[in-house]
Amino acid sequence: MCSVLEQIKEKHNLEKVKKKLVRNAAFGNFFGVMALFQSGRLVKDQKALLESIQLLQQLAHHQAHLRDLPRKALIDILSEVPEAVFEEVLFDILRGDLASAFASPENLHLLLVGIQKFPSVLKPKNVKKLFGSPTVVNEQNIPRLVELLQSAAKSEKKDKKLPGLVFDLLQVSLKEGAFELFWKEGVENGVLKEKSGPVSYMCYRLLGSALPLLSLEQLQMVLKGKVMQHYGEHVVKTQLPDRFKFAPEMEDYVDEFLNSCDDPERQMAVIIGFSTLTNQGYPVFSSSSKVVRHLQPVVLQKYIDWLKDMFLRPDLDCCLDFSSNRQKQNQGKVNTAQHKITRLRKWLIHRLANIMEHAVKKEESLVMDISRFCFFHAFFETKKKASQIHETHVLPSEPLDEQTRAVTENYFFGLLQTLNTLTVWGDTAKAAALREKHIHGVTAEGKLWIFLLVEYADKLLSSEHVKAVKPFTKGQRDVWERTLQSVKNLQKKENKSNGAKVVAFQQLLLLMAVHLFKDQSETVDVLSDLLNCTERAFSKEPKKKKPDNTEPGWVEVMVEILLSLLAQPSLLIRRISKSVFVRICPNLTKRSLQLILDVVDPYQEQNEESAVVVMEESEKKNKSDQDMGEEGSEDSSDEGDSEEENDSGDEDKNEEVDEDFRSQLMNVLQAGNAVGGDESDEELDDEAMMALDKNISALFAEQQKRIQAKKDEKDRIRKEKILRRDFKIKVLDLVEAFLVKQPENPLVFDVIEPLLRLIEQCMSSDSDKQEVDFLQKTASIFRNSLCRAKQYCKRVDALQDDLHAFVERLVEKAYKHTDSSVALYYFSASLYLLKVLKGNVSDKSSTPPTPLPEKGSSTIPQAAQLLSTGCLDVEKVAGIYRQALTQFLTKRNSALTCSMFHDLFKRFPIMCKPLVDTLVKSITAGARQHQQAQACLLLQKVLQLHELKLFTTEEEWEELIRESISQVTEKQRTLDPGEPFTRNSQRLLEASPLNPRRARQELGCCTGFR
């Protein structure tokens, strides 16, 4: 090791090297020492270790080139050296560096590492000999320590991490028993006073890093100190975008502490400390933080009890509260104490409702306790204490105001969404069976969480000790009782074959019953209709509908209810509504399906009722946004309007009003003698000028109001359009569910044209993001859930004529369209109908089966499938596609494409024989050379299909090849090799099997085909 070190020093001699190469020599020595250290052998060779330390001390003087790298390397090496080696070899040569510990952050760091690593060597007596005091952290050294800490913070600002010096100083202060002095005088009254970002962030990181090292008393002191308050102010100030936010990093520190700490009291102190750091009553710590997942069960229960107690009896004195400068200026305008209590309760109820999403060790009793608490204080209040109702045991010290109840109500419905998605807990066999079936939202006994809450609500309604915030009328109470009875009746049918349908209806009934407490006037009518539909849906002997009865069936009413519920901002309502719809899909009628299709049909005139639904949804969404939302609404928003559009709109408005406004302005000026006539040169007196100014000001104010009113109207129309489109996207989910769950239902055919019209309308409309998303969703449903569906209707015998006419209509629209992308969807729909017709067997068909080839017995099953026509009228359909093919090959700017017909031939080889003659003739009869080449290309692909030979006799095959040779040869004689397009056609023809030489070979071999 020594010889290697000598070679390094000789090669990079700092004394002999030229001035230009000093930097290179310094780095050469430094990297040489680091290489020896990283080899792991340096520490074992005392002589080499000593020389390396001396070299690093020498390199430390070249700070211009190496900065603090030698000192950091020295500290790294020192941390790996055994105590005996340090005492015997290194202590003497490092004595000078250790004695000058307060000269630089690096020297201080070296001393701190030595104190921790070699306590028997650097004991207080020896430390006192070095720089005069037995301890590092004392009142005499605090000023210099503050300077060094500030210097260290600025040197590490780019790394965004806590400097090692600071953390080691924290550990030494704890070891010396001087932590309180270090924290209060060194950090809070020293370092923190410098108003700079790097210093503040260093203090925050020091706070987070210190949590695992502190005792309970020290934690309580730190969490109520100036650093915490300073951190809270930082969180409030950096809520604006494009600001560096330290909150996520602090949450990581808290998360790491709670995960590693096994002391319940210290866990409780930290979680309470951060929950009581408040800005005018509102805690700055996130109410949806996931750190609670690391709380021990006993701590979690205590924390929940603390949250509930603080909600009922807010204790602002235990909070570390602060206000921003603007808040301090506005304090006189509001009731400060009441304002703080409202803000605190808003955070507490959200934290309480959100715990279930992140707490790992949850118990059913704990979940029910939280759910009851939120429900009770959202919709009830205590008249007097009741022993059977736990929520009445503690009365609120400050009555809950309307805003707090509204917030609690919103978070309760968010809690319902969480309950609906909870996995089953418990170790019982029944719980394990439920988990295997992926059932959510039930207890270990299989009961719905929401049912338990409804039972609790019924208990509260029957109690004399509490009263509802919004009392029920007799009619509403009757509907409530009827709902409970209906749910109990459904529960008796759960174990039967339609269990999933029963559960879905239960969830919807129970959810709407809970909504009675929120919006009684609207919900009671919906719930009444829903109860009637439920009774009819599960009745054993449904009433037969009379022919002249125009009353809608229960399915139609149910669909109307579900459509109205889809407009609600509640994610839970929409999910359960969709679940119910999936269960009633087998019962859908043509009329009920049409109700859904009318919503998404772009040509369906929007009636007044649908507009009302949309506007109601808009109002609810706005209210939900103001109250910080319900349970994660999926409602879309569109911000696609650009400033240019707004500007252009303003210009148009200005152009409309210019003339009227100009004439009004002229009238005002003329009335004030400001313009016109011979008297216009006379000056107006002060009184007339004031009157004129007043009239002009009023005129401009009125004009501004008109402009603003038009802007508001335009904005209202835009928002209404967004809501309509958003509602249609939700309704499309129902269409997709129907196609997926009922692919064999004949009603699927009624969905095809509305989807095609929707795609066509979207293709020609605006290209904003929401419109594009809507188009993509519609196209995906049409392509994946309809056209590519593996299952399809097998009962079309009575619909044969209608489906053949439908195919004709679709193909006709495809080749008459001007947009190829739209025509593709129409053409694909026709192919789907071909698949359905071909896959069905006609009951009336008496045609004997087509004889199979005598040879190739191994292909008989496949051949039988290919030769089967099912309900397909090949001759009629061939005529339809022949007309389309002729149009494609003879008309200019056709929307049809070569790939469409290739898809037809590939999927339905039975159509090749009737259409191949058209292709052969079009090689010379095509309108343009491009179309002739397309005919040739299609013919090439058709002849390559092995299935074609199954549909032709030997004579027909020979004739087809002979005619193809003739057409290709004739076409080749007319080609002009000088034209670019002609050269491409020539290459195409030569590459195809229709090349005359290759075709003759094929013709010569075709006699052996049979």
Side-chain angles (χ1 to χ4, degrees), residues 394-433:
V394 180
L395 298 176
S397 59
E398 290 286 338
L400 274 65
D401 57 15
E402 186 177 346
Q403 182 182 355
T404 302
R405 289 199 186 275
V407 170
T408 308
E409 177 184 294
N410 280 335
Y411 287 137
F412 168 73
F413 283 102
L415 182 64
L416 279 185
Q417 166 63 20
T418 304
L419 290 174
N420 191 56
T421 56
L422 282 181
T423 54
V424 182
W425 304 320
D427 302 325
T428 62
K430 188 172 184 179

Side-chain angles (χ1 to χ4, degrees), residues 30 34 68-78 106 109 155-156 159 161:
F30 174 74
M34 291 306 296
D68 57 353
L69 289 177
R71 292 292 182 186
K72 289 183 177 180
L74 194 60
I75 293 169
D76 292 339
I77 295 174
L78 201 63
E106 293 78 17
H109 196 189
S155 66
E156 296 278 358
D159 295 334
K161 65 179 182 180

Side-chain angles (χ1 to χ4, degrees), residues 650 653-662 664-665 695-711:
D650 294 343
K653 292 170 186 173
N654 290 340
E655 288 176 3
E656 293 175 6
V657 300
D658 264 353
E659 292 301 325
D660 292 339
F661 179 65
R662 185 180 292 109
Q664 292 176 10
L665 182 60
N695 292 337
I696 292 176
S697 176
L699 180 62
F700 273 96
E702 185 180 349
Q703 175 67 6
Q704 191 62 35
K705 287 181 181 179
R706 283 197 294 267
I707 293 174
Q708 188 60 43
K710 290 183 179 180
K711 284 183 180 179

